[in-house]
Protein backbone atom coordinates (compact mmCIF):
# COMPACT_ATOMS: atom_id res chain seq x y z
CA UNK A 1 0.00 0.00 0.00
CA UNK A 2 3.03 2.29 0.17
CA UNK A 3 4.13 1.57 -3.41
CA UNK A 4 4.81 4.93 -5.16
CA UNK A 5 2.59 4.40 -8.21
CA UNK A 6 2.16 7.41 -10.48
CA UNK A 7 -1.55 7.61 -9.67
CA UNK A 8 -0.60 8.21 -6.01
CA UNK A 9 2.21 10.70 -6.61
CA UNK A 10 1.50 14.44 -6.76
CA UNK A 11 0.93 15.99 -10.19
CA UNK A 12 3.85 17.51 -12.11
CA UNK A 13 2.89 20.83 -13.79
CA UNK A 14 5.99 20.80 -16.02
CA UNK A 15 5.52 17.33 -17.52
CA UNK A 16 3.80 18.37 -20.79
CA UNK A 17 5.97 20.16 -23.34
CA UNK A 18 4.15 20.16 -26.69
CA UNK A 19 1.47 22.80 -25.95
CA UNK A 20 3.19 24.62 -23.06
CA UNK A 21 6.15 26.91 -22.40
CA UNK A 22 7.97 24.04 -20.67
CA UNK A 23 10.88 22.09 -22.15
CA UNK A 24 12.64 18.79 -21.64
CA UNK A 25 15.26 18.65 -18.92
CA UNK A 26 18.95 18.48 -19.73
CA UNK A 27 19.73 15.00 -21.03
CA UNK A 28 16.07 14.03 -21.43
CA UNK A 29 14.92 12.50 -24.74
CA UNK A 30 11.39 12.21 -26.13
CA UNK A 31 10.71 9.76 -28.96
CA UNK A 32 7.31 10.46 -30.54
CA UNK A 33 5.47 8.94 -33.46
CA UNK A 34 6.79 11.63 -35.80
CA UNK A 35 9.33 13.65 -33.79
CA UNK A 36 12.52 13.22 -31.78
CA UNK A 37 13.24 15.91 -29.17
CA UNK A 38 16.32 16.26 -26.97
CA UNK A 39 16.90 18.51 -23.96
CA UNK A 40 20.41 19.93 -24.37
CA UNK A 41 20.30 22.26 -21.35
CA UNK A 42 17.91 22.76 -18.41
CA UNK A 43 15.56 24.98 -20.50
CA UNK A 44 16.53 24.42 -24.12
CA UNK A 45 15.41 21.61 -26.41
CA UNK A 46 15.94 20.83 -30.09
CA UNK A 47 14.20 18.33 -32.34
CA UNK A 48 13.46 17.02 -35.80
CA UNK A 49 10.94 14.81 -37.61
CA UNK A 50 12.79 11.76 -38.97
CA UNK A 51 9.90 10.63 -41.27
CA UNK A 52 9.96 14.02 -43.02
CA UNK A 53 13.76 13.94 -43.25
CA UNK A 54 13.53 10.49 -44.83
CA UNK A 55 11.31 11.74 -47.66
CA UNK A 56 13.42 14.82 -48.35
CA UNK A 57 11.61 17.43 -46.24
CA UNK A 58 14.54 18.54 -44.09
CA UNK A 59 13.49 20.11 -40.82
CA UNK A 60 14.61 21.24 -37.37
CA UNK A 61 12.96 22.85 -34.36
CA UNK A 62 13.99 24.45 -31.07
CA UNK A 63 12.34 25.87 -27.96
CA UNK A 64 13.83 28.01 -25.19
CA UNK A 65 12.16 28.55 -21.83
CA UNK A 66 13.19 32.18 -21.57
CA UNK A 67 12.27 32.83 -17.96
CA UNK A 68 10.31 31.44 -15.01
CA UNK A 69 8.86 33.71 -12.34
CA UNK A 70 6.85 31.70 -9.85
CA UNK A 71 3.84 30.20 -11.67
CA UNK A 72 4.56 32.07 -14.91
CA UNK A 73 6.77 30.77 -17.75
CA UNK A 74 7.57 32.31 -21.13
CA UNK A 75 9.11 30.37 -24.03
CA UNK A 76 10.28 31.20 -27.55
CA UNK A 77 10.21 28.56 -30.28
CA UNK A 78 11.04 28.14 -33.93
CA UNK A 79 11.13 25.56 -36.72
CA UNK A 80 12.17 25.34 -40.34
CA UNK A 81 11.12 22.96 -43.15
CA UNK A 82 12.67 22.81 -46.61
CA UNK A 83 11.87 20.66 -49.65
CA UNK A 84 14.30 20.91 -52.61
CA UNK A 85 13.05 19.25 -55.81
CA UNK A 86 15.44 19.99 -58.69
CA UNK A 87 15.45 23.75 -59.21
CA UNK A 88 12.25 24.04 -57.16
CA UNK A 89 12.43 24.87 -53.45
CA UNK A 90 9.60 25.02 -50.98
CA UNK A 91 10.23 26.13 -47.42
CA UNK A 92 8.45 27.22 -44.28
CA UNK A 93 9.78 28.98 -41.19
CA UNK A 94 7.78 29.29 -37.97
CA UNK A 95 8.32 31.46 -34.90
CA UNK A 96 6.24 31.24 -31.74
CA UNK A 97 5.93 32.53 -28.20
CA UNK A 98 4.12 30.65 -25.43
CA UNK A 99 2.95 31.93 -22.05
CA UNK A 100 2.11 29.32 -19.40
CA UNK A 101 0.47 30.20 -16.09
CA UNK A 102 -0.25 27.82 -13.20
CA UNK A 103 -3.64 29.20 -12.23
CA UNK A 104 -4.07 26.69 -9.41
CA UNK A 105 -2.12 23.78 -7.96
CA UNK A 106 -3.66 21.36 -10.48
CA UNK A 107 -4.68 23.67 -13.33
CA UNK A 108 -2.57 25.53 -15.90
CA UNK A 109 -3.40 27.79 -18.84
CA UNK A 110 -1.23 28.17 -21.96
CA UNK A 111 -1.45 30.73 -24.78
CA UNK A 112 0.69 30.51 -27.94
CA UNK A 113 1.06 33.01 -30.74
CA UNK A 114 2.71 31.81 -33.97
CA UNK A 115 3.93 33.50 -37.13
CA UNK A 116 4.87 31.53 -40.24
CA UNK A 117 6.44 32.47 -43.55
CA UNK A 118 6.22 30.16 -46.57
CA UNK A 119 7.72 30.37 -50.03
CA UNK A 120 7.87 28.27 -53.18
CA UNK A 121 9.95 29.07 -56.23
CA UNK A 122 10.89 27.37 -59.49
CA UNK A 123 9.32 24.50 -61.42
CA UNK A 124 9.16 21.17 -59.57
CA UNK A 125 10.74 18.14 -61.22
CA UNK A 126 8.27 15.43 -60.26
CA UNK A 127 10.70 12.67 -61.25
CA UNK A 128 13.00 13.84 -58.44
CA UNK A 129 10.35 13.42 -55.76
CA UNK A 130 10.69 10.64 -53.19
CA UNK A 131 8.31 7.73 -53.98
CA UNK A 132 6.41 8.23 -50.73
CA UNK A 133 5.44 11.78 -51.65
CA UNK A 134 4.29 10.68 -55.08
CA UNK A 135 2.23 7.87 -53.56
CA UNK A 136 0.58 10.37 -51.24
CA UNK A 137 -0.25 12.54 -54.25
CA UNK A 138 -2.18 9.65 -55.75
CA UNK A 139 -1.57 10.46 -59.44
CA UNK A 140 -0.12 7.52 -61.42
CA UNK A 141 0.39 9.56 -64.62
CA UNK A 142 3.72 11.14 -63.73
CA UNK A 143 4.50 12.26 -67.31
CA UNK A 144 1.09 13.84 -67.72
CA UNK A 145 1.36 15.57 -64.37
CA UNK A 146 4.77 16.97 -65.30
CA UNK A 147 3.38 18.32 -68.60
CA UNK A 148 0.55 20.01 -66.71
CA UNK A 149 3.03 21.63 -64.33
CA UNK A 150 5.23 22.78 -67.23
CA UNK A 151 2.24 24.27 -69.09
CA UNK A 152 1.00 26.07 -65.98
CA UNK A 153 4.41 27.60 -65.31
CA UNK A 154 5.53 28.19 -68.91
CA UNK A 155 5.01 31.95 -68.83
CA UNK A 156 5.91 32.44 -65.18
CA UNK A 157 7.55 29.93 -62.81
CA UNK A 158 6.07 29.47 -59.38
CA UNK A 159 7.07 32.34 -57.11
CA UNK A 160 4.75 32.21 -54.13
CA UNK A 161 5.15 33.90 -50.76
CA UNK A 162 2.86 33.68 -47.78
CA UNK A 163 2.67 34.82 -44.19
CA UNK A 164 0.21 33.58 -41.58
CA UNK A 165 -0.51 34.23 -37.91
CA UNK A 166 -2.13 31.70 -35.58
CA UNK A 167 -3.29 31.57 -31.97
CA UNK A 168 -3.64 28.52 -29.72
CA UNK A 169 -5.15 28.31 -26.24
CA UNK A 170 -4.67 25.17 -24.15
CA UNK A 171 -5.47 24.11 -20.61
CA UNK A 172 -4.57 21.02 -18.61
CA UNK A 173 -6.26 19.87 -15.42
CA UNK A 174 -3.98 17.45 -13.57
CA UNK A 175 -5.51 14.81 -11.32
CA UNK A 176 -2.21 13.22 -10.30
CA UNK A 177 1.19 12.52 -11.79
CA UNK A 178 -0.30 10.19 -14.41
CA UNK A 179 -3.75 11.48 -15.37
CA UNK A 180 -4.76 14.85 -16.75
CA UNK A 181 -7.44 16.38 -18.96
CA UNK A 182 -6.20 18.52 -21.86
CA UNK A 183 -8.37 21.01 -23.79
CA UNK A 184 -6.98 22.82 -26.85
CA UNK A 185 -8.32 25.31 -29.38
CA UNK A 186 -6.44 26.98 -32.22
CA UNK A 187 -7.08 28.97 -35.37
CA UNK A 188 -5.26 30.84 -38.13
CA UNK A 189 -6.34 34.46 -37.62
CA UNK A 190 -4.46 36.27 -40.39
CA UNK A 191 -2.90 35.44 -43.74
CA UNK A 192 -1.35 37.03 -46.80
CA UNK A 193 -0.44 35.05 -49.94
CA UNK A 194 1.11 36.34 -53.14
CA UNK A 195 1.65 34.24 -56.31
CA UNK A 196 1.36 34.74 -60.04
CA UNK A 197 0.24 31.18 -60.86
CA UNK A 198 -3.42 30.27 -61.24
CA UNK A 199 -3.96 27.29 -58.89
CA UNK A 200 -6.66 25.84 -61.15
CA UNK A 201 -3.99 25.25 -63.80
CA UNK A 202 -2.01 22.92 -61.56
CA UNK A 203 -2.72 19.21 -61.01
CA UNK A 204 -3.15 17.84 -57.47
CA UNK A 205 0.53 16.96 -57.10
CA UNK A 206 2.24 17.59 -53.76
CA UNK A 207 -0.77 19.67 -52.77
CA UNK A 208 0.42 22.57 -54.96
CA UNK A 209 -3.13 23.31 -56.08
CA UNK A 210 -4.39 23.46 -52.50
CA UNK A 211 -1.42 25.46 -51.23
CA UNK A 212 -1.75 28.07 -53.97
CA UNK A 213 -5.54 28.15 -53.75
CA UNK A 214 -5.06 30.49 -50.82
CA UNK A 215 -4.24 33.36 -53.20
CA UNK A 216 -7.41 35.13 -52.09
CA UNK A 217 -6.21 35.33 -48.48
CA UNK A 218 -5.31 38.91 -47.62
CA UNK A 219 -5.90 39.98 -44.03
CA UNK A 220 -8.04 38.63 -41.21
CA UNK A 221 -9.43 35.13 -41.65
CA UNK A 222 -12.80 33.91 -40.35
CA UNK A 223 -12.55 31.40 -37.50
CA UNK A 224 -15.15 29.21 -39.20
CA UNK A 225 -12.56 28.31 -41.88
CA UNK A 226 -9.50 27.62 -39.71
CA UNK A 227 -10.63 26.45 -36.25
CA UNK A 228 -9.43 23.30 -34.48
CA UNK A 229 -10.69 22.26 -31.02
CA UNK A 230 -10.17 19.08 -29.02
CA UNK A 231 -10.47 17.51 -25.59
CA UNK A 232 -8.30 14.58 -24.56
CA UNK A 233 -7.29 12.38 -21.65
CA UNK A 234 -3.54 12.31 -21.13
CA UNK A 235 -1.71 9.43 -19.45
CA UNK A 236 1.94 9.88 -18.45
CA UNK A 237 3.54 6.75 -17.08
CA UNK A 238 7.13 6.42 -15.95
CA UNK A 239 8.41 6.37 -19.54
CA UNK A 240 5.44 6.18 -21.95
CA UNK A 241 2.96 8.96 -22.71
CA UNK A 242 -0.44 8.60 -24.38
CA UNK A 243 -3.07 11.19 -25.28
CA UNK A 244 -6.45 10.17 -26.72
CA UNK A 245 -9.55 12.24 -27.29
CA UNK A 246 -11.93 13.79 -29.77
CA UNK A 247 -12.47 17.12 -31.42
CA UNK A 248 -13.88 19.24 -34.22
CA UNK A 249 -12.17 21.23 -36.98
CA UNK A 250 -12.92 23.16 -40.15
CA UNK A 251 -10.65 20.76 -42.03
CA UNK A 252 -11.89 17.17 -41.49
CA UNK A 253 -9.55 15.18 -39.25
CA UNK A 254 -7.25 18.07 -38.36
CA UNK A 255 -8.24 17.74 -34.68
CA UNK A 256 -6.41 14.38 -34.54
CA UNK A 257 -3.08 16.22 -34.45
CA UNK A 258 -4.12 17.77 -31.12
CA UNK A 259 -6.02 14.94 -29.48
CA UNK A 260 -3.84 11.91 -30.29
CA UNK A 261 -0.21 11.36 -29.40
CA UNK A 262 2.17 8.69 -28.14
CA UNK A 263 5.76 9.10 -27.03
CA UNK A 264 8.53 7.45 -25.03
CA UNK A 265 10.59 9.62 -22.64
CA UNK A 266 13.72 8.81 -20.71
CA UNK A 267 16.64 10.59 -19.06
CA UNK A 268 16.65 13.83 -17.09
CA UNK A 269 16.71 14.64 -13.38
CA UNK A 270 13.00 14.02 -12.71
CA UNK A 271 13.14 10.54 -14.25
CA UNK A 272 16.23 9.72 -12.20
CA UNK A 273 14.54 10.90 -8.98
CA UNK A 274 11.49 8.73 -9.74
CA UNK A 275 13.74 5.74 -10.40
CA UNK A 276 15.57 6.28 -7.09
CA UNK A 277 12.20 6.53 -5.30
CA UNK A 278 11.07 3.16 -6.69
CA UNK A 279 14.46 1.60 -5.91
CA UNK A 280 14.26 2.77 -2.28
CA UNK A 281 10.71 1.40 -1.97
CA UNK A 282 11.76 -2.03 -3.28
CA UNK A 283 14.72 -2.14 -0.89
CA UNK A 284 12.53 -1.20 2.07
CA UNK A 285 9.97 -3.83 1.07
CA UNK A 286 12.64 -6.54 1.04
CA UNK A 287 13.93 -5.46 4.46
CA UNK A 288 10.44 -5.46 5.98
CA UNK A 289 9.61 -8.86 4.50
CA UNK A 290 12.81 -10.38 5.90
CA UNK A 291 12.07 -8.84 9.29
CA UNK A 292 8.53 -10.26 9.28
CA UNK A 293 9.85 -13.64 8.20
CA UNK A 294 12.27 -13.74 11.14
CA UNK A 295 9.53 -12.67 13.56
CA UNK A 296 7.32 -15.57 12.43
CA UNK A 297 9.96 -18.14 13.39
CA UNK A 298 9.27 -19.50 16.88
CA UNK A 299 12.26 -19.20 19.24
CA UNK A 300 13.93 -22.40 20.39
CA UNK A 301 13.19 -23.49 24.02
CA UNK A 302 15.84 -22.68 26.56
CA UNK A 303 17.88 -25.58 27.97
CA UNK A 304 17.37 -25.32 31.75
CA UNK A 305 19.53 -28.34 32.48
Amino acid sequence: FLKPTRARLPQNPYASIDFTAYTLEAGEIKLGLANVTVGISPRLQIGTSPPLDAVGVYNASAKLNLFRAGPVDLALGGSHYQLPVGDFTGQQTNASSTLSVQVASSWSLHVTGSYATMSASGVPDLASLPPLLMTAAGDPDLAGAQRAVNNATASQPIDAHAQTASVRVASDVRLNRRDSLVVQASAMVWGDVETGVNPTDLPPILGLDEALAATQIDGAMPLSETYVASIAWQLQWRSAELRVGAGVSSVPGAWLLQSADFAWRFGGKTKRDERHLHTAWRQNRRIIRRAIGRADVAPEPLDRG
Side-chain angles (χ1 to χ4, degrees):
F1 66 90
L2 292 178
K3 184 177 181 179
T5 61
R6 295 189 67 82
R8 294 172 179 166
L9 295 176
Q11 48 86 11
N12 178 13
Y14 304 108
S16 298
I17 65 168
D18 52 350
F19 55 86
T20 71
Y22 314 133
T23 61
L24 294 176
E25 299 174 345
E28 189 175 10
I29 300 174
K30 180 177 180 179
L31 303 177
L33 295 176
N35 296 281
V36 175
T37 310
V38 180
I40 61 175
S41 71
R43 295 186 184 179
L44 175 63
Q45 67 181 37
I46 59 175
T48 187
S49 175
L52 290 180
D53 290 320
V55 297
V57 183
Y58 307 113
N59 65 96
S61 63
K63 183 165 70 170
L64 171 66
N65 186 296
L66 196 60
F67 77 87
R68 176 172 296 166
V72 179
D73 285 68
L74 178 66
L76 301 178
S79 60
H80 181 74
Y81 302 83
Q82 185 159 328
L83 171 65
V85 184
D87 64 349
F88 172 85
T89 300
Q91 57 185 356
Q92 175 176 326
T93 301
N94 306 305
S96 65
S97 178
T98 302
L99 178 69
S100 291
V101 180
Q102 297 178 40
V103 182
S105 60
S106 60
W107 174 37
S108 295
L109 185 65
H110 319 277
V111 180
T112 301
S114 304
Y115 178 79
T117 62
M118 293 157 281
S119 65
S121 60
V123 179
D125 179 8
L126 303 184
S128 302
L129 291 174
L132 183 59
L133 290 182
M134 289 305 303
T135 300
D139 191 333
D141 185 8
L142 181 59
Q146 185 66 64
R147 286 193 298 271
V149 171
N150 293 339
N151 292 335
T153 58
S155 59
Q156 182 177 356
I158 296 173
D159 186 17
H161 302 274
Q163 300 84 39
T164 63
S166 303
V167 175
R168 180 182 66 197
V169 178
S171 179
D172 59 324
V173 179
R174 300 173 297 275
L175 306 179
N176 48 57
R177 208 174 188 90
R178 185 192 65 189
D179 304 281
S180 59
L181 185 66
V182 178
V183 179
Q184 299 186 69
S186 63
M188 185 184 300
V189 297
W190 177 86
D192 182 22
V193 178
E194 297 178 1
T195 177
V197 178
N198 187 345
T200 60
D201 294 334
L202 293 176
I205 297 295
L206 298 178
L208 286 175
D209 56 331
E210 296 179 359
L212 298 181
T215 53
Q216 303 303 317
I217 296 177
D218 185 10
M221 301 181 64
L223 295 181
S224 60
E225 297 180 3
T226 64
Y227 72 89
V228 180
S230 65
I231 182 170
W233 193 266
Q234 184 161 278
L235 298 157
Q236 296 175 309
W237 293 282
R238 196 183 310 178
S239 298
E241 294 184 354
L242 175 65
R243 184 163 68 240
V244 292
V248 293
S249 57
S250 56
V251 177
W255 55 268
L256 283 169
L257 298 176
Q258 288 186 353
S259 63
D261 189 32
F262 178 79
W264 192 266
R265 289 172 63 167
F266 55 92
K269 180 180 182 301
T270 299
K271 298 294 184 184
R272 289 195 299 270
D273 291 344
E274 292 177 356
R275 186 171 63 252
H276 294 160
L277 179 63
H278 282 81
T279 300
W281 173 78
R282 286 192 295 267
Q283 291 175 345
N284 291 336
R285 181 181 61 178
R286 286 194 296 267
I287 293 173
I288 292 173
R289 285 179 173 177
R290 285 197 295 266
I292 292 176
R294 287 194 296 268
D296 288 341
V297 176
E300 296 182 1
L302 297 176
D303 184 1
R304 299 182 181 276

